[in-house]
Amino acid sequence: MLMPPYHGAANQVCPECAKDYSELPAVICLNCAAVVGRVVPKRLDNGFEIKRGVTLHCDACNVCKPGIEQSSIIEIERWEKNVRDPKVILTPGAGKIVK
């Protein structure tokens, strides 16, 4: 019997470990759909929040580009582009010391 084509992300974790890590956010490569790893849910220093059960995507991995040393998480890059730089706007006369 031939297996039907597999659609989805290839996960290199054994079934027992998959039960333990199933709630952790997975990082999946956009090029080859391999699960690159899983990350701990938390709020990053830039304010981006990684939540339980979400899927994040990287632009490349060591499977599709052997020898790659660094890759970016697409969702974090897009979020940073959409967040404004914190600026303090002062109205005229603000900041003057009145005696």
Side-chain angles (χ1 to χ4, degrees):
M1 179 176 147
L2 293 175
M3 294 290 291
Y6 177 75
H7 298 286
N11 197 349
Q12 300 89 3
V13 178
C14 70
E16 291 177 15
C17 294
K19 292 176 189 172
D20 295 335
Y21 300 116
S22 64
E23 287 295 315
L24 294 179
V27 179
I28 298 176
C29 179
L30 281 178
N31 292 328
C32 66
V35 176
V36 178
R38 296 194 178 264
V39 292
V40 177
K42 68 176 189 175
R43 183 176 297 273
L44 301 179
D45 293 338
N46 64 3
F48 184 83
E49 186 175 358
I50 300 173
K51 298 180 182 180
R52 286 192 167 280
V54 300
T55 301
L56 302 171
H57 301 88
C58 64
D59 52 3
C61 74
N62 206 26
V63 174
C64 59
K65 291 187 179 179
I68 190 171
E69 294 183 8
Q70 184 175 341
S71 182
S72 299
I73 295 179
I74 305 298
E75 288 80 3
I76 296 174
E77 283 186 345
R78 288 182 184 165
W79 184 85
E80 286 178 335
K81 287 180 183 177
N82 292 329
V83 173
R84 292 186 199 172
D85 293 334
K87 294 180 182 177
V88 177
I89 299 172
L90 298 176
T91 58
K96 291 183 180 178
I97 300 174
V98 179
K99 293 184 180 180

